[in-house]
Amino acid sequence: MRNFRFYAPTKVVFGKDTESKVGGLVKEQNCKKVLVHYGGNSAKKSGLLDRIYDSLKEAGIDYVSLGGVVPNPRLSKVYEGIELCKKEGVDFILAVGGGSVIDSGKAIGYGMVNDCDVWDLYERKAQPKGCLPIGAVLTIAAAGSEMSNSSVITKEEGELKRSCNNDFARCKFAIMNPELTYTLPQYQTQSGCTDILMHTMERYFTTVKNTELTDSIGEALMKTVIHNAKILMKEPENYDARAEVMWASSISHNDLTGCGTIGDWASHQIEHELGGMFDVAHGAGLAAVWGSWARYVYKTDVNRFAKFAVNVLNVPNNFSNPERVALEGIEAMENFYREIGMPTSIKELGINITDEQISEMAQKCTHDNTITIGGFQKLNKEDVEKIFQAAR
Amino acid sequence: MRNFRFYAPTKVVFGKDTESKVGGLVKEQNCKKVLVHYGGNSAKKSGLLDRIYDSLKEAGIDYVSLGGVVPNPRLSKVYEGIELCKKEGVDFILAVGGGSVIDSGKAIGYGMVNDCDVWDLYERKAQPKGCLPIGAVLTIAAAGSEMSNSSVITKEEGELKRSCNNDFARCKFAIMNPELTYTLPQYQTQSGCTDILMHTMERYFTTVKNTELTDSIGEALMKTVIHNAKILMKEPENYDARAEVMWASSISHNDLTGCGTIGDWASHQIEHELGGMFDVAHGAGLAAVWGSWARYVYKTDVNRFAKFAVNVLNVPNNFSNPERVALEGIEAMENFYREIGMPTSIKELGINITDEQISEMAQKCTHDNTITIGGFQKLNKEDVEKIFQAAR
């Protein structure tokens, strides 16, 4: 086990009707004016925004709203939010939505406190010095942004998708009512489950040895998500299944499943290029490339993949042929993706990708082949191209 | 799954040589004068205290020391600490030790900020309004106080052991270097492992249904502790085994393994009476009474005990006879306790308990038979007496 830090200070308020507590939670932060930040119209239509406004009013908290955040949230919306918040004297950002809205809220929070252009933080040209306090009312179980230190923003110009990861942007609180996810389209639910799984898988595939508790917690989480994703295919309003998946979304990405390890994250970086160029659902993009990544790298540690196969996917162990077990595990994972309607190739995302596009994405992903990606196995531009080719 | 709150804001700094970071961590809290609170002489002899003083000096932090905290920490020492801190203008408590030292530090922190007699908080006659900030350098993996909201203090007069649980007393940071636990006596190591297991078992034995992720994380934790406790019987300086147990100590009691459930806690309350009257090692006291508690209550939910037997202790399942599986699980747990040198009866604690003492403890435990204890099965004074009788 490696030395590690673990810091997950977000106050989680989980369960039915918990959105009614939002006013009191903002008040605890001694804040006075809130930006209520959200995505499309569903939060408005469902009455959720009204319930939130009522709770804020009851607590004597002033607010202003900004909707229109889209998946793979855009830098232009972030600038719009910063301008509004400055004009209105906002001192707290309340994100009502999933990872895109929370990430956009974090970016606005950074922009309010740091002197530089906020994009400089995402390009790693500057270090954040702070962030406005953020809270979340979660409506999509997927990104885990409600407990993570991460924010991912896409700059339209150049289709660049970049992340800024800093503890300043950890949510002060996260309200999680599983009922708010009942009406999500099936594809989005399952794309979310895939993203949750991948946040643990990226940490699980490590070359660090002797991480027994972290591994077994990760396995517990992955088995739970796989089981409940299947239930949600048939029963989208099963409260307990929604609750398992929602709680898993948070602890899959608050670092708990990576304590003492070094994660991989190559699949995420490969998918970020896809998402930047083609605007695919993040989880679906991950499912489309993961199998190709796995078959490309599994020989780095066959036993790790065999352990994944046996402990997560119930592949029967074969002590005399771990390679076979490893490959059966990759196949079982892809079969699971198919079962929940996720793609296992880029083509199934509806994209006929060209060689030029593959080359361009591999180029961007490896910063013109000046860096490698992946902690489990280091991948250069050529490796990334081969994985894209295998996944096309 | 029930609605729940989860709040674990402690910054964990885990691994080799991490105690050297203590000065910087106190400085982050903007504090100026530290009480370094510790137990016996081992922290002094091993050079740990000197390393801590050096780190504080380097960060420009002033300090004053108070040692002499004993297991089942005493109220008189708490009063001594409060007086010293007031005289010296202390604004941060640094506990260097295990649960007893951290709990004593929390009590001093409460005493510094609340106007009432600090014991009133433990008797639930007053509610805490705050606490001085606390940090911990952990030297015993057991109580989990480094991430929990709990503090347990014993008042010498009347042998009363009482707890105060409040988020104000959550540590700001916890430094965990597994190497610091190498020199613990075997009995204390294994008593610690038992305490860690029991913090999850108390939460695991619940009548709440549909807590799949919480259950499976708890099972992962219990299996890990059982496995590594056995390793430590033979290899007390096995870094990885010490690390697994130390990390488990924290997440076993930071509420993660109880999210969405209602815990039981009867075994803890029964042991608190034993500990108050006889000053036994807490974990050993828990091992001595748990089997008797389990056999007294398992019929409340035979399947829960069968699940524990199969998923934690690898008892072969027998679908047609879950009661047999449940009882085999209790036996397997007691066999594990014996394997690691823990008692499974009060007699094995070296105590020949009398009927009068049993009656007195059952009386105190149930507040003169005015309350019941236990969330899994409610127990009145008579029930508690029967459990003590079975465990004697």
Side-chain angles (χ1 to χ4, degrees):
Chain A
M1 194 191 291
R2 283 169 54 91
N3 283 13
F4 66 88
R5 289 195 174 217
F6 177 75
Y7 181 53
T10 305
K11 185 176 285 184
V12 172
V13 181
F14 194 101
K16 293 178 186 178
D17 302 322
T18 44
E19 61 272 20
S20 65
K21 302 193 188 297
V22 68
L25 287 162
V26 173
K27 206 168 181 179
E28 274 180 21
Q29 300 293 324
N30 294 316
C31 290
K32 295 207 167 66
K33 182 127 186 199
V34 171
L35 173 72
V36 178
H37 198 39
Y38 62 98
N41 274 321
S42 63
K44 209 182 281 180
K45 275 195 219 153
S46 70
L48 173 61
L49 282 183
D50 283 335
R51 294 205 295 285
I52 287 169
Y53 296 150
D54 287 347
S55 175
L56 291 173
K57 280 178 214 158
E58 209 176 300
I61 310 259
D62 200 6
Y63 62 87
V64 57
S65 297
L66 178 65
V69 181
V70 294
N72 298 316
R74 302 298 195 273
L75 182 60
S76 55
K77 179 60 75 177
V78 171
Y79 288 136
E80 188 185 340
I82 295 169
E83 200 178 335
L84 178 66
C85 288
K86 283 187 174 162
K87 195 179 111 200
E88 296 280 346
V90 163
D91 60 0
F92 190 91
I93 315 269
L94 181 68
V96 181
S100 299
V101 176
I102 301 171
D103 285 6
S104 181
K106 288 176 177 178
I108 294 170
Y110 281 132
M112 289 291 288
V113 167
N114 296 281
D115 293 334
C116 60
D117 180 348
V118 70
W119 186 247
D120 287 350
L121 306 175
Y122 289 76
E123 290 250 290
R124 316 274 162 112
K125 287 181 188 162
Q127 273 292 315
K129 296 191 182 93
C131 186
L132 270 200
I134 322 267
V137 179
L138 194 64
T139 64
I140 305 174
S145 189
E146 64 278 7
M147 281 192 93
S148 83
N149 72 349
S150 171
S151 162
V152 182
I153 298 292
T154 298
K155 185 182 187 178
E156 295 91 327
E157 190 193 331
E159 290 163 335
L160 289 171
K161 193 170 177 178
R162 294 287 176 264
S163 68
C164 178
N165 308 322
N166 195 292
D167 284 340
F168 289 131
R170 295 216 187 243
C171 288
K172 300 296 178 195
F173 64 78
I175 290 173
M176 303 188 204
N177 177 355
E179 292 179 322
L180 300 180
T181 64
Y182 281 178
T183 52
L184 275 180
Q186 189 67 264
Y187 186 77
Q188 216 174 332
T189 295
Q190 300 301 348
S191 182
C193 289
T194 304
D195 195 17
I196 296 165
L197 283 165
M198 281 298 306
H199 286 150
T200 290
M201 287 157 71
E202 295 278 26
R203 292 172 165 96
Y204 186 84
F205 288 103
T206 180
T207 54
V208 177
K209 305 294 179 198
N210 301 313
T211 52
E212 186 174 342
L213 181 54
T214 295
D215 285 355
S216 58
I217 288 175
E219 289 162 1
L221 188 144
M222 291 186 277
K223 280 191 287 190
T224 302
V225 175
I226 288 171
H227 180 213
N228 288 284
K230 291 179 187 176
I231 292 173
L232 290 175
M233 286 300 285
K234 293 183 187 161
E235 305 170 38
E237 300 202 359
N238 181 317
Y239 180 83
D240 289 305
R242 288 284 184 191
E244 297 295 347
V245 166
M246 188 171 246
W247 184 219
S249 82
S250 299
I251 56 181
S252 189
H253 204 30
N254 75 355
D255 296 332
L256 179 73
T257 61
C259 290
T261 76
I262 302 174
D264 183 68
W265 300 102
S267 300
H268 262 79
Q269 287 180 269
I270 291 170
E271 194 287 327
H272 276 186
E273 297 309 326
L274 263 186
M277 193 178 277
F278 298 105
D279 204 18
V280 301
H282 178 52
L286 288 166
V289 301
W290 181 79
S292 299
W293 168 82
R295 284 193 188 86
Y296 195 82
V297 304
Y298 78 93
K299 283 184 182 161
T300 292
D301 188 349
V302 166
N303 289 326
R304 193 81 192 162
F305 273 87
K307 176 173 165 161
F308 175 71
V310 173
N311 289 356
V312 178
L313 293 153
N314 298 316
V315 171
N317 201 359
N318 179 342
F319 288 87
S320 59
N321 196 347
E323 182 164 7
R324 189 182 171 90
V325 178
L327 289 168
E328 283 183 9
I330 297 169
E331 202 181 325
M333 194 69 199
E334 290 191 317
N335 284 338
F336 162 72
Y337 286 145
R338 291 185 192 104
E339 188 178 342
I340 61 167
M342 284 290 107
T344 55
S345 69
I346 296 171
K347 195 175 178 180
E348 288 172 66
L349 283 168
I351 299 167
N352 284 310
I353 203 166
T354 66
D355 287 340
E356 289 69 33
Q357 286 168 327
I358 284 177
S359 177
E360 186 188 332
M361 288 192 294
Q363 184 95 3
K364 276 200 227 166
C365 192
T366 58
H367 297 193
D368 301 322
N369 206 16
T370 60
I371 61 161
T372 59
I373 63 166
F376 184 72
Q377 182 181 315
K378 289 191 192 314
L379 305 171
N380 62 22
K381 178 176 175 254
E382 196 187 336
D383 298 317
V384 173
E385 274 187 353
K386 283 182 184 161
I387 291 169
F388 270 125
Q389 290 290 357
R392 70 194 296 178
Chain B
M1 194 191 290
R2 284 169 53 92
N3 283 13
F4 66 87
R5 289 194 174 217
F6 177 75
Y7 182 53
T10 304
K11 184 175 286 184
V12 172
V13 181
F14 193 102
K16 292 179 187 178
D17 302 323
T18 44
E19 62 271 20
S20 66
K21 301 192 186 300
V22 67
L25 287 162
V26 173
K27 207 169 182 178
E28 274 180 22
Q29 300 294 324
N30 295 316
C31 290
K32 297 208 167 67
K33 181 124 186 200
V34 171
L35 173 72
V36 178
H37 198 39
Y38 62 98
N41 273 323
S42 62
K44 209 182 281 180
K45 274 194 218 153
S46 69
L48 173 61
L49 282 183
D50 284 334
R51 295 205 295 286
I52 288 169
Y53 296 150
D54 287 347
S55 175
L56 291 172
K57 279 178 212 157
E58 208 176 302
I61 310 259
D62 200 7
Y63 63 87
V64 56
S65 297
L66 178 64
V69 180
V70 293
N72 298 316
R74 303 299 195 273
L75 183 60
S76 56
K77 180 60 74 176
V78 172
Y79 288 136
E80 189 185 339
I82 296 169
E83 199 177 336
L84 178 66
C85 288
K86 283 186 174 164
K87 196 179 109 197
E88 296 280 346
V90 163
D91 60 0
F92 190 92
I93 314 269
L94 181 68
V96 181
S100 298
V101 176
I102 301 171
D103 285 7
S104 181
K106 287 176 176 178
I108 295 170
Y110 281 133
M112 289 292 288
V113 168
N114 295 280
D115 293 335
C116 60
D117 181 346
V118 69
W119 186 247
D120 287 351
L121 306 175
Y122 289 76
E123 289 251 290
R124 316 274 162 112
K125 286 182 188 163
Q127 273 292 315
K129 295 190 182 92
C131 187
L132 271 199
I134 322 266
V137 179
L138 194 64
T139 64
I140 305 174
S145 189
E146 64 278 7
M147 281 192 93
S148 82
N149 72 349
S150 172
S151 162
V152 182
I153 298 292
T154 298
K155 185 181 186 177
E156 296 89 329
E157 189 194 331
E159 290 163 337
L160 289 171
K161 193 169 176 178
R162 294 287 176 262
S163 68
C164 178
N165 308 323
N166 194 291
D167 284 340
F168 290 131
R170 296 216 186 242
C171 287
K172 299 297 177 193
F173 62 79
I175 290 172
M176 303 189 206
N177 177 357
E179 292 179 322
L180 299 180
T181 64
Y182 281 179
T183 52
L184 275 180
Q186 189 67 264
Y187 186 78
Q188 216 175 332
T189 296
Q190 300 301 348
S191 182
C193 290
T194 304
D195 195 17
I196 296 165
L197 283 165
M198 281 298 304
H199 286 149
T200 291
M201 287 158 72
E202 295 278 26
R203 293 171 165 96
Y204 187 83
F205 288 102
T206 179
T207 54
V208 177
K209 304 294 178 196
N210 302 313
T211 52
E212 187 174 341
L213 182 54
T214 295
D215 286 356
S216 59
I217 288 175
E219 289 162 0
L221 188 144
M222 291 186 279
K223 279 191 288 190
T224 302
V225 174
I226 288 171
H227 179 213
N228 288 284
K230 290 179 188 176
I231 292 173
L232 290 175
M233 286 298 286
K234 292 182 188 161
E235 305 170 38
E237 301 203 359
N238 181 317
Y239 179 83
D240 289 304
R242 288 285 183 190
E244 297 294 348
V245 166
M246 188 171 243
W247 184 218
S249 82
S250 299
I251 56 181
S252 189
H253 204 30
N254 76 354
D255 295 333
L256 179 73
T257 61
C259 290
T261 76
I262 301 174
D264 183 67
W265 300 101
S267 300
H268 261 78
Q269 287 180 270
I270 290 170
E271 194 287 327
H272 277 186
E273 297 309 327
L274 263 185
M277 192 178 276
F278 298 105
D279 205 19
V280 301
H282 177 53
L286 288 166
V289 301
W290 181 79
S292 299
W293 169 82
R295 284 192 187 85
Y296 195 82
V297 304
Y298 78 93
K299 284 184 181 160
T300 292
D301 188 351
V302 166
N303 289 326
R304 193 83 193 160
F305 273 87
K307 176 173 164 159
F308 175 72
V310 172
N311 289 357
V312 179
L313 293 153
N314 298 318
V315 171
N317 200 0
N318 179 342
F319 289 87
S320 60
N321 195 347
E323 182 164 5
R324 188 183 172 91
V325 178
L327 288 168
E328 283 182 10
I330 297 169
E331 203 181 325
M333 193 69 200
E334 290 190 317
N335 285 338
F336 163 72
Y337 285 145
R338 291 185 193 105
E339 188 179 341
I340 61 167
M342 284 289 108
T344 54
S345 69
I346 296 171
K347 194 175 179 181
E348 289 171 66
L349 283 168
I351 299 167
N352 283 310
I353 204 165
T354 66
D355 287 340
E356 289 69 33
Q357 287 169 325
I358 285 177
S359 177
E360 186 188 332
M361 288 192 293
Q363 185 94 2
K364 275 199 226 165
C365 193
T366 57
H367 296 194
D368 300 324
N369 207 16
T370 60
I371 60 161
T372 58
I373 63 167
F376 184 73
Q377 182 180 316
K378 290 191 191 316
L379 305 170
N380 62 21
K381 177 175 176 253
E382 196 187 333
D383 298 317
V384 173
E385 274 188 355
K386 283 182 185 162
I387 291 169
F388 270 126
Q389 290 290 357
R392 69 194 295 177

